[in-house]
Amino acid sequence: MAGRRPPTLGAGILASVVPVNDAATVPLMLALHDRLRAGATLAEALLQARAELGDDPVAVATGWSFIALGQ
């Protein structure tokens, strides 16, 4: 596990600051959890997941509706 941060060492909160579209949230959360499993911090995982949303305005708005607090 050299170079990887076990997920239990930090705690964080992912919060939506506005109501979000449930269907548009699914791809974002799947990408976010993939990044977390790969060792990214919560903030890094959210940023990377946002980058994968493409050009769909609903998906992009959904991605930017979330904030990461803590580790």
Side-chain angles (χ1 to χ4, degrees), residues 2-51:
R4 288 190 53 187
R5 178 187 57 83
T8 57
L9 289 181
I13 297 172
L14 184 68
S16 173
V17 296
V18 295
V20 293
N21 179 289
D22 288 343
T25 303
V26 172
L28 176 71
M29 292 299 131
L30 291 173
L32 179 121
H33 283 86
D34 285 344
R35 299 299 172 268
L36 290 172
R37 280 191 297 275
T41 66
L42 183 59
E44 291 168 340
L46 178 58
L47 185 62
Q48 293 166 7
R50 284 176 178 161

